[in-house]
Amino acid sequence: MADIYNLSPTINGVKFNNIIMNASGCHCTTNDELDELFKSDACAVVSKSCTYDKHIGNPQPRYYDTDLLSINSTGLANEGYKFYAEYPNIIKQSINKPYFMSIAGLKLHENIKILQELFDNDNDTQYDMKLIDFIEVNLSCPNIPGKPQIGYDLESTDNILTSIYEIVGDKANIGVKLPPYFDIQQFGNIADILNKYNLSHITCINSLGNGFVFDDDYGPSIKPNNGYGGIGGAVVKPFGLSNVRQFHKLLPNTPIIGCGGIVTGRDVYEYLLCGASLVQIGTQLVKEGPSVFSRLSTELNSIIDTKKY
Ligand code: DHB
């Protein structure tokens, strides 16, 4: 049987040695966490979504998990964009794996300011854009009160991508992180907009926004936002699979990074069957730590071995 998937893909000239990486937001905020990912068997590393300035984020507890799911309202706790732009300078001297910088300005203007500074060659900064293989624009943070998820608004999505391409042009690989869609019409509408831009990839899905989970004492399991937060983990896998599958059909030439509910090698394999080029691990990485990547690779390889003859 011919392989329908490539276990060492190349995306826009960037080579990946396997297909399993972290999901943004998970184990990727601090220098130590990012170093651990670089040293792990992850094929690539994506940063925490960053804002222009450092943010301490929402009050704790802001993350909670059960066997089936996680809920978080982290509130964009991050070190500020300069930290994530400079981060690869040292680690890439010894470990060369693809690095994605995720950006999530609170307003269109903030994303534009970050990108303008990144691409301003006269800027007296310490970062080297050649070390940032992909910029992933997060259109789907569900946890900022008063700020709707951009990816649910067609006009805002179109506007932000137009503005971004005016600044970046073909100087960098730009991808987007999408929220989960649930309505067939929505897939077609958003795909028509994404299709206008030469995106390096799309990553789907982000967490399911504004879920509610009780703790053992029947109180809200997280403190911010009245207990509402983004849901990830095993329960979201059917939506991750369907989003990857639908976008793969609508945008057959755009590499898709599948995310949502991966716990086992079988889950990774299912994402490949839906058309994912790479997959990202979120909740399970938080629960298990960076050794999750070698476990999943081993489990995936043993499934793939049974498919060969
Ligand atoms: C946060 C959560 C998200 O799902 C996201 O995409 C970006 C940020 C957060 O609360 O920090």
Side-chain angles (χ1 to χ4, degrees):
M1 186 172 73
D3 284 350
I4 50 163
Y5 31 74
N6 181 351
L7 297 181
S8 45
T10 299
I11 297 179
N12 268 13
V14 180
K15 179 106 179 69
F16 295 80
N17 287 335
N18 69 68
I19 58 154
I20 310 177
M21 62 183 288
N22 70 302
S24 180
C26 300
H27 207 98
C28 60
T29 302
T30 65
N31 198 83
D32 286 354
E33 287 174 338
L34 289 161
D35 280 359
E36 282 174 28
L37 292 180
F38 262 86
K39 289 172 187 162
S40 77
D41 283 343
C43 68
V45 175
V46 57
S47 74
K48 170 71 183 166
S49 291
C50 60
T51 46
Y52 188 87
D53 293 312
K54 180 183 166 100
H55 273 248
I56 60 163
N58 287 336
Q60 305 272 6
R62 58 193 186 190
Y63 172 89
Y64 180 83
D65 60 40
T66 69
D67 285 349
L68 286 177
L69 57 78
S70 66
I71 180 168
N72 91 85
S73 181
T74 310
L76 278 169
N78 79 94
E79 299 291 325
Y81 93 90
K82 286 185 182 144
F83 171 84
Y84 299 101
E86 289 172 10
Y87 169 74
N89 292 359
I90 294 173
I91 195 79
K92 280 222 185 188
Q93 288 172 15
S94 54
I95 305 173
N96 193 14
K97 60 174 71 168
Y99 176 65
F100 294 62
M101 180 172 161
S102 172
I103 66 168
L106 296 178
K107 293 187 179 142
L108 170 64
H109 169 76
E110 190 176 343
N111 285 308
I112 298 307
K113 199 162 116 184
I114 293 171
L115 291 169
Q116 273 169 341
E117 291 192 16
L118 286 176
F119 289 94
D120 176 0
N121 294 328
D122 300 332
N123 208 330
D124 183 21
T125 45
Q126 299 301 312
Y127 38 79
D128 175 355
M129 291 308 290
K130 290 195 291 298
L131 301 181
I132 301 173
D133 300 281
F134 297 89
I135 293 174
E136 186 165 284
V137 182
N138 187 344
L139 302 180
S140 47
C141 175
N143 294 335
I144 308 299
K147 302 268 176 265
Q149 293 176 72
I150 300 167
Y152 285 141
D153 181 334
L154 297 171
E155 201 180 323
S156 306
T157 299
D158 207 6
N159 289 342
I160 190 173
L161 289 173
T162 299
S163 305
I164 286 170
Y165 275 88
E166 274 167 20
I167 298 166
V168 180
D170 57 5
K171 289 196 289 252
N173 291 324
I174 301 282
V176 289
K177 172 92 173 258
L178 297 175
Y181 298 97
F182 304 99
D183 186 278
I184 296 298
Q185 190 84 38
Q186 285 178 315
F187 288 105
N189 292 342
I190 195 81
D192 285 345
I193 288 172
L194 300 178
N195 208 15
K196 290 166 49 181
Y197 304 92
N198 189 23
L199 294 169
S200 58
H201 69 280
I202 63 179
T203 302
C204 53
I205 55 173
N206 205 324
S207 47
L208 275 64
N210 297 297
F212 184 86
V213 176
F214 283 107
D215 67 14
D216 290 343
D217 301 320
Y218 304 103
S221 56
I222 57 170
K223 188 168 178 188
N225 286 345
N226 286 320
Y228 300 111
I231 304 293
V235 294
V236 311
K237 189 181 74 168
F239 301 102
L241 292 175
S242 86
N243 275 252
V244 169
R245 203 160 183 261
Q246 305 235 25
F247 282 118
H248 183 56
K249 192 151 189 217
L250 291 163
L251 303 167
N253 299 318
T254 306
I256 300 181
I257 307 183
C259 184
I262 293 175
V263 180
T264 67
R266 181 189 161 108
D267 301 327
V268 177
Y269 187 67
E270 290 180 1
Y271 271 95
L272 293 180
L273 294 179
C274 290
S277 297
L278 303 174
V279 297
Q280 295 183 344
I281 315 301
T283 298
Q284 195 59 30
L285 167 60
V286 174
K287 288 180 171 180
E288 193 172 332
S291 64
V292 70
F293 299 107
S294 51
R295 176 180 66 78
L296 291 174
S297 285
T298 306
E299 291 176 9
L300 174 66
N301 288 334
S302 67
I303 292 171
I304 285 174
D305 283 347
T306 66
K307 307 283 171 204
K308 288 190 178 140
Y309 55 86

